[in-house]
Every structure is written in structure tokens, then in C-alpha cells.
Amino acid sequence: MAAVLETNITEYPLISRGKVRDIYEIDADTLLLVTTDRISAFDVVMPDPIEDKGKVLNQITLFWMKMMEDLVPNHILATDVDDYPEPLRKYRDQLQDRSVLAKKAKPLPIECIVRGFITGSGWSDYLKTGEVCGHKLPEGLKESEMLEKALFTPSTKADLGEHDENITLDKAAELLGEEMMRKVEKLALGIYTRARDYAKKRGILIADTKFEFGILDGELIFIDEALTPDSSRFWPEEGYAPGQSQPSFDKQYFRDWLLEIGFNKQPPAPHVPEDIAARTREKYLEAYKLLTGEDLKV
């Protein structure tokens, strides 16, 4: 099966082509979300795909959303092309296993980030201020150290090519309202904690992750992707040692390659050599197998 860099479905309007997802409007209440094989790093989309990456992201999302159904309803309507509107069936090769029909919700205006370990931009903020998004942390933490309790650290939503900015809970409350912000905080921490505890039994540490929620008929629902290697940092538990950066199952390997070749984090992005693409693909497939206990059918 060839990699899917982008889709061009003519029967329905394309309303968004993001870093990874192509989104079509099926009707006033329904969206088609297609998870392509595009890969981005430093908010720049690469010109070459990572074969099967979209299937991994889509199937991992479905796995987690099902696990969390008792905590929060999600936007999934259908996952099999046979259950899609008839005009979509001729695109089966592009859509099967990498797409969903979803309820259209109004996304919250913040990214819902949960950090269980101190790393990434959280580590940078901690070194400068001793805080992450207004959370005062103990002195003397080491890079990649597990936090005593997971933190809800929201951020703004940036346009494509721009960077999200970490914000405090007070700022999030201004954007959402205090009651909704607290509800989202509790939900995000609940989902993360369950996923973290499950993944640890499978040999994966989920260092941090980003959730998207939306409002539909006045109800909070889980949308977009869930706990994938693109929206989370996955570290192997074996060999984990605080005080340094960690090897990972997410796209950190890919980012490291870009830094090694001196990529300036601005378009145009470089072409991806076959060996780098193949190794990146292996990491995505390995993450799927460790989490689910099964090989992805590709």
C-alpha cells in the first residue's frame, strides 16, 4: 500500500489540511477526518511521508478513546469505510484504517496538556523560573524526572506554522470560564493517569501528552487524537534514568535527525532519506505493538 501524503476527495468540501489531518465536511453535523502519512517537526511539514504513520496514529487514537469511554464520550461515528457515505467508498485504499467519521463539535480554544515528567518546554520553563504554567515546583528537579503529581498545563492554539504558548490556569479560566476550566483539568488528568498506569505495564512511560476537547449539545466530548506518538512523549521504561533526555518511541528520533543536519526549523523542509523514514516508521509501529499487544495490520 502506498503512503498517503494528502487526499483529494472531490465529493465533499475540504475544510482543513493540517500538519497531519485532512478534514472534510460531510454534512452540517459530520466530519471525515483522514490521518495522512505526513510528518511535521518544529511546526514544519516535511515533503516526504512516513509510510503507515497515519494508520498508527488513527488506530492508537481509537484504542485509547474506547478505553476512556466511561470517563468522557468521544466524537467517533464510524471507522469502517463500509459504513461511510457511498461516495467515499471509491477512496477505500486511502481511507481504510486511517480515517473516521466524526461528530462536529466546537473545539475548546486551548490545548489541554498534561505533564507527568519534567521535559521539553516544561523543563526549559522550570530552569528559568522554577515554575511550569504557574505551577511552583520543588527545587533540584532533574531533567526527565517524574513529577510527584501530574500537572495540567494548558497552552494557546497557534495557527499552522506558529508555536503554541504555555499559559497559566488563570488565563485558561479567562478563555473557558472557571467552571469549564476545572472540569477540563479534572478530565485531562483522569485520562492521563489511566493511560500512564496502563502504558507503564506495557513498558512505556508517557512523559506528557496533549488532548483536544470540544462542546457538542452543551456536553464536553473527546475529539481529534488521543495519546499518540505525535501528541505525546513515549519513553521506554527500560533504561529510563532522570538527569538526561530519554530515547523515545515518538518523533523525537526524527527531530534529532533534523537537528543533526542543521535544519533551521523554517520552511522549506529537507527531503527525508529512505533510512531515516524507515527507522521512524519502525518506531511508530513499535509503539503501536507495545501499547496494544498486536502488530498493526498494514
Side-chain angles (χ1 to χ4, degrees):
M1 185 66 64
V4 176
L5 186 60
E6 68 175 39
T7 58
N8 292 286
I9 294 170
T10 57
E11 288 81 356
Y12 300 98
L14 176 72
I15 60 173
S16 173
R17 197 186 298 282
K19 296 174 195 169
V20 174
R21 283 168 188 78
D22 293 349
I23 302 177
Y24 295 85
E25 185 177 66
I26 302 304
D27 57 40
D29 303 313
T30 311
L31 300 174
L32 172 71
L33 278 61
V34 188
T35 310
T36 72
D37 294 325
R38 293 194 292 272
I39 188 168
S40 70
F42 308 112
D43 295 312
V44 180
V45 179
M46 303 293 124
D48 304 297
I50 304 298
E51 188 175 348
D52 297 318
K53 172 180 175 284
K55 291 183 179 180
V56 170
L57 298 184
N58 192 59
Q59 295 301 313
I60 286 179
T61 290
L62 295 176
F63 171 80
W64 289 119
M65 282 192 169
K66 184 169 184 59
M67 184 187 290
M68 306 301 169
E69 280 178 337
D70 63 313
L71 295 179
V72 59
N74 61 60
H75 66 167
I76 304 297
L77 289 169
T79 61
D80 192 316
V81 176
D82 287 337
D83 299 323
Y84 291 5
E86 194 278 330
L88 292 173
R89 294 177 197 168
K90 69 179 181 182
Y91 300 101
R92 179 184 304 276
D93 287 352
Q94 295 179 51
L95 298 180
Q96 190 62 45
D97 299 326
R98 65 167 71 248
S99 67
V100 297
L101 280 187
K103 304 168 192 171
K104 187 189 293 186
K106 182 180 180 182
L108 297 184
I110 64 168
E111 302 279 11
C112 299
I113 297 167
V114 178
R115 302 174 190 273
F117 294 72
I118 187 75
T119 186
S121 65
W123 173 243
S124 300
D125 290 348
Y126 171 73
L127 289 177
K128 293 173 190 168
T129 66
E131 298 182 355
V132 180
C133 294
H135 295 279
K136 182 69 177 173
L137 297 180
E139 294 181 7
L141 291 179
K142 298 177 182 178
E143 183 180 6
S144 306
E145 189 169 340
M146 185 175 179
L147 297 169
E148 185 176 346
K149 63 177 183 177
L151 302 177
F152 178 61
T153 60
S155 77
T156 60
K157 283 185 178 177
D159 294 330
L160 185 62
E162 301 296 321
H163 296 284
D164 297 339
E165 291 186 12
N166 294 339
I167 58 175
T168 63
L169 296 186
D170 286 343
K171 180 62 177 176
E174 285 180 27
L175 295 169
L176 298 181
E178 179 73 23
E179 184 179 354
M180 178 59 75
M181 189 277 290
R182 290 300 175 190
K183 186 174 182 180
V184 169
E185 177 186 32
K186 181 180 179 181
L187 180 58
L189 289 169
I191 295 171
Y192 170 79
T193 301
R194 181 180 292 184
R196 178 199 63 196
D197 294 349
Y198 170 85
K200 192 172 189 298
K201 295 174 184 174
R202 312 287 306 181
I204 292 178
L205 302 177
I206 303 179
D208 53 26
T209 193
K210 177 175 65 177
F211 300 124
E212 288 263 13
F213 300 108
I215 303 292
L216 180 64
D217 299 329
E219 185 178 32
L220 198 62
I221 68 169
F222 205 173
I223 64 172
D224 198 40
E225 64 181 319
L227 293 147
T228 72
D230 271 20
S231 65
S232 317
R233 282 188 177 87
F234 288 171
W235 297 338
E237 184 181 23
E238 184 178 355
Y240 163 71
Q244 60 193 26
S245 61
Q246 308 296 314
S248 66
F249 295 112
D250 56 44
K251 58 183 178 183
Q252 191 60 49
Y253 165 82
F254 190 80
R255 291 190 196 99
D256 290 345
W257 167 71
L258 287 170
L259 292 173
E260 284 172 16
I261 65 169
F263 177 52
N264 66 0
K265 304 182 184 179
Q266 300 292 326
H271 283 283
V272 182
E274 287 186 12
D275 61 323
I276 299 297
R279 183 74 183 108
T280 303
R281 177 178 182 269
E282 286 172 11
K283 284 183 171 287
Y284 277 88
L285 291 171
E286 185 180 9
Y288 177 87
K289 183 173 183 178
L290 276 172
L291 282 173
T292 68
E294 300 176 355
D295 286 312
L296 183 71
K297 298 178 178 65
V298 294

